[in-house]
Amino acid sequence: MRVLVAAMPFAGHAAPMAALARELTGRGHAVVAYTGRRYTDRFTAVGASWQPWERAPDFDDADLRATFPQVGDGRGMRAVATNLEHVFLRTGAGQARDIEAAGPVDLLVSDQLAIGCSLVAERRGTPWASVSLVPLSMPSRDLPPFGTGLLPARTPLGRARDAALRALVARTLVRRMDAVLTSVRAEVDLPPARSSALEAFASPQLVLAHGVPELEHPRRDLPPQVHFVGQLAPPPAGHEPPPWWPELLAAGRPLVHVTQGTYDVDPGDLLLPALRGLADADVAVAAATGSGPLPPEAVPANARQAQFLPYDVLLPRASVVVTNGGWGGVLAALGAGVPLVVAGGTLDKPEIARRVARSGAGVDLRTGRPAPRRVAEAVAEVLADPGYRERAAAVAGSLARHGGTAAAVDLMERLVRDGGPVPRAEADPWGVGGAVTRGRS
């Protein structure tokens, strides 16, 4: 079959979508990749052809404001709403026209935030699978609104709080996004949607959740077409470690990896505080800067730095990963059974930090700009308590059991073969009736 795979041009989105493209082409399917120019090579390298962003504005995820000056620093619900409106919704009509220009396909597979596929699926009647590349954001009667960074309530008063917040978000954010979506749909000759804009990103036929139930807040109203598929993009293999790698290992101390991923890479947020906080700790520190090198005086004697580090070599030796909470990096660490210290401050990262803490596989610092002492205390806590590594190992096992790209493409093929929604075998993936029963919060 001919499949169009759409990925928003962000590094954390391109990697798992390219992994899906690889699995599809490996099974003999023809794949057209719709993504930005910066990430074209990731898809053509696995045998896909490329459909460029032309009618929708292509952009550089390292400098989002150059294309979307409205976006801010990504902190708080207002920033989440602004990004949702300008980066993901208002580009939708242009995305749809680009996708239709690629010609007829048998299946549309979208990064859930690439809303153009939903519009084309409705216009053409094409089967559509969406891929949730971050924790599930679809509304639930059991949870506070996504983006608030709040844990689900456990008391009657707390549940009343969550209900009030859901109502407030419905009157403000949802109403605003619904108006934007109506305008976008009109540009491609579609009537107003029957559901809210926050639900329009998820396919009613098949949703592939990049993750596992252990990293989600349980909900009793999980839609039946949502399937957890584990880790889609395992760490790339084959890269040589930096020259200082043997020297760092020779110290014989616990290895702490510090990273800010590929987005939000201002070292003043996490890298520098972590290095200062760990300078006197009995650990070895491997820091990935993600951009240019840090000043030599900022790197203490027990630490080394590189722009990027090979995770297939690093993670099996790591004792703790300190991260700002990018979902791909979190899954990579947990997939290797490594516990986390998470400093999530922008966009979906506070939500990710809460989920890691709830799983019991790490510590949530509850800020994106932690004090050095707080980082050191959290690392010491994780190293001293074997429960964190035990829970990380349990999550690693679940990630492996859920099948990754092979399971995801099996479900895609089933969608096309059966011609309708693909329901889960189990109604409640948590097996607890929606109750929160495990983890630390």
Side-chain angles (χ1 to χ4, degrees):
M1 63 183 174
R2 188 169 189 256
V3 184
L4 185 136
V5 174
M8 295 295 292
F10 292 94
H13 296 226
M17 298 305 291
L20 288 171
R22 180 191 295 273
E23 180 71 22
L24 284 161
T25 59
R27 297 191 187 193
H29 302 302
V31 176
V32 180
Y34 175 58
T35 192
R37 185 172 301 277
R38 186 176 184 187
Y39 296 105
T40 304
D41 290 350
R42 296 204 184 191
F43 290 88
T44 57
V46 301
S49 61
W50 177 49
Q51 175 66 28
W53 279 50
E54 293 180 329
R55 296 159 186 85
D58 200 351
F59 57 88
D60 181 350
D61 56 330
D63 187 13
L64 205 56
R65 293 190 200 185
T67 306
F68 304 102
Q70 306 91 340
V71 304
D73 62 5
R75 300 178 189 277
M77 281 293 290
R78 179 173 295 180
V80 171
T82 300
N83 276 36
L84 183 64
E85 175 179 349
H86 293 282
V87 181
F88 303 112
L89 276 176
R90 291 197 181 276
T91 61
Q95 290 180 41
R97 295 189 183 103
D98 286 339
I99 292 167
E100 288 186 330
V105 296
D106 302 295
L107 174 66
L108 295 161
V109 180
S110 69
D111 156 0
Q112 188 163 307
L113 291 172
I115 199 169
C117 279
S118 72
L119 304 175
V120 174
E122 187 173 347
R123 281 168 57 88
R124 291 185 170 180
T126 306
W128 166 43
S130 60
V131 185
S132 180
L133 297 177
V134 297
L136 293 172
S137 59
M138 52 189 62
S140 169
R141 68 176 185 269
D142 290 330
L143 307 179
F146 188 86
T148 60
L150 295 171
L151 291 167
R154 302 185 183 187
T155 66
L157 182 61
R159 287 190 285 272
R161 174 210 68 182
D162 289 353
L165 286 172
R166 290 194 298 271
L168 175 63
V169 168
R171 291 194 304 270
T172 54
L173 172 64
V174 175
R175 185 175 297 175
R176 172 182 162 188
M177 295 304 118
D178 285 352
V180 174
L181 180 60
T182 295
S183 173
V184 169
R185 288 172 61 88
E187 290 183 59
V188 292
D189 301 320
L190 288 173
R194 295 179 180 179
S195 58
S196 79
L198 299 188
E199 297 171 304
F201 290 94
S203 169
Q205 300 168 325
L206 175 61
V207 175
L208 304 168
H210 183 31
V212 287
E214 289 85 347
L215 293 172
E216 285 290 348
H217 301 312
R219 58 174 85 194
R220 291 165 292 178
D221 54 358
L222 184 71
Q225 79 277 17
V226 177
H227 296 253
F228 291 98
V229 293
Q231 188 177 6
L232 296 177
H239 298 288
E240 290 295 322
W244 47 254
W245 178 246
E247 175 188 347
L248 202 65
L249 293 183
R253 294 175 289 186
L255 179 61
V256 179
H257 172 48
V258 182
T259 176
Q260 288 184 217
T262 57
Y263 192 75
D264 290 337
V265 293
D266 180 349
D269 288 348
L270 177 60
L271 278 170
L272 293 176
L275 289 171
R276 287 196 295 270
L278 296 170
D280 297 322
D282 189 23
V283 298
V285 181
T289 66
S291 54
L294 301 174
E297 64 272 17
V299 182
N302 66 340
R304 300 291 184 274
Q305 65 167 316
Q307 184 174 2
F308 300 105
L309 291 167
Y311 269 21
D312 60 319
V313 176
L314 171 71
L315 291 178
R317 304 299 296 268
S319 298
V320 185
V321 170
V322 180
T323 173
N324 65 352
W327 191 232
V330 164
L331 293 182
L334 292 177
V338 183
L340 296 151
V341 171
V342 187
T346 63
L347 300 176
D348 58 350
K349 291 180 176 63
E351 295 283 352
I352 293 168
R354 308 296 182 268
R355 284 158 172 78
V356 168
R358 184 200 157 270
S359 77
V363 172
D364 173 12
L365 295 180
R366 303 193 72 84
T367 176
R369 295 167 173 165
R373 185 176 69 176
R374 182 67 187 105
V375 177
E377 290 171 347
V379 168
E381 178 183 343
V382 172
L383 290 173
D385 185 347
Y388 286 107
R389 184 165 282 274
E390 290 168 3
R391 285 302 305 157
V395 174
S398 183
L399 285 165
R401 286 193 303 274
H402 278 82
T405 57
V409 174
D410 286 345
L411 291 164
M412 294 178 201
E413 292 174 336
R414 181 178 158 193
L415 170 60
V416 175
R417 182 181 66 246
D418 296 349
V422 181
R424 286 187 314 280
E426 77 282 10
D428 179 5
W430 297 274
V432 293
V436 177
T437 60
R438 64 168 83 85
R440 309 162 188 232
S441 58

